Amino acid sequence: EPEALEAAFQAKVDAEQRIEPKDWMPEKYRQTLIRQMSQHAHSEVVGMLPEGNWLTRAPSLKRKAILMAKIQDEGGHGLYLYSAAETLGISRDEMFEQLHSGKAKYSTIFNYPTLSWADIGAIGWLVDGAAIVNQIALCRCSYGPYARAMIRICKEESFHQRQGYEIMMTMAQGTKEQREMAQDALNRWWWPTLMMFGPHDRESAHSGQSMKWKIKRQSNDDLRQKFIDATVPQAEFLGLRIPDDKLKWNEERGHYDFGEIDWEEFRSVVNGNGLCNRERLQARVDAHDGGRWVREAALAHAAKKEARKVE
Ligand code: ACO
């Protein structure tokens, strides 16, 4: 009786019990998680590309070592998330196929170019800062493997956020040119960062059901507001100006008011027409094709070892 199963499932979710891979779950719950978790995994992996652009040009050996470690963390996050998504019955190859064919999305934010070293600071501070706000909520996701992956990922993200803020701090306290670079990076990354939280709640196709299933714990608009409230004082401390004339503390609401996002730009980037969409996707396809011989060699090696065991 599917209705009884579904009611029992919802009761379990309502009682704050985690859903585990072998538990019964509605097919749509499974599909929603596969969609969100694979998009999340793809974002981590594609997210390595804009920062990778600055590895060879980091201003010191120390900065380079830190950036390298941070980018490797992002790759690791992608791997945890692919593994967690595999528990839902989809294979990694299928997920890659969906990314490479353009069927699966990844976050719009990674389709913007990194034009100066200050962008590396802005990404850590703003992009990873926004990712944390979103992912703290996901630590309480009803699906066990996703929630547990998020706990570790959030710990690493907070290190990333701090390293970004420290770069911004160094530049904001530097020469006039460095301050200008920091301000320019903030100008370019601010609005795209706000788009990471997704469309307004009233436009969000999946929010209603995802909130009911406790996949999402807080709405897109609530998380965006939370991020803005936390970040404005950080910008003030840096002596930088957030590029929004409407940004203003609202005493009554106890939140900052802010201007409207350019949703036309958001839609355009989601639909593949951002500044770097083609380049990013091509880089992933090339990496996958270029790594084929490694995968084949690993499989051949494993088969040989297995054959030796049998004898
Ligand atoms: N970039 C690309 N696509 C987006 C974005 C975005 N910033 N925001 C929303 N979308 C897409 C959704 O994936 C959905 O498309 P789909 O139906 O084809 O999958 C559509 O827009 C409608 O949006 P929502 O109904 O609001 O979708 P959802 O409930 O999935 O909420 C959100 C979107 C908030 C991004 C959610 O999926 C989420 O929390 N994901 C996990 C976090 C994540 O992916 N972070 C990646 C960036 S952080 C990092 O990698 C460091």
Side-chain angles (χ1 to χ4, degrees), residues 153-215:
I153 290 176
C154 281
K155 287 186 181 155
E156 294 181 347
E157 293 290 7
S158 32
F159 156 66
H160 297 169
Q161 197 269 353
R162 277 153 192 266
Q163 71 84 37
Y165 194 69
E166 200 261 341
I167 292 175
M168 294 305 277
M169 185 99 83
T170 305
M171 297 197 77
Q173 292 171 351
T175 62
K176 180 169 169 287
E177 285 78 9
Q178 286 170 324
R179 269 198 306 282
E180 283 168 4
M181 281 167 75
Q183 181 63 56
D184 175 59
L186 172 55
N187 292 349
R188 283 180 293 104
W189 288 94
W190 177 254
W191 291 102
T193 299
L194 298 189
M195 295 175 195
M196 288 173 68
F197 295 95
H200 279 312
D201 295 347
R202 59 177 182 276
E203 312 271 331
S204 164
H206 305 294
S207 279
Q209 185 57 260
S210 289
M211 297 279 276
K212 185 158 175 256
W213 277 331
K214 300 192 197 283
I215 292 172

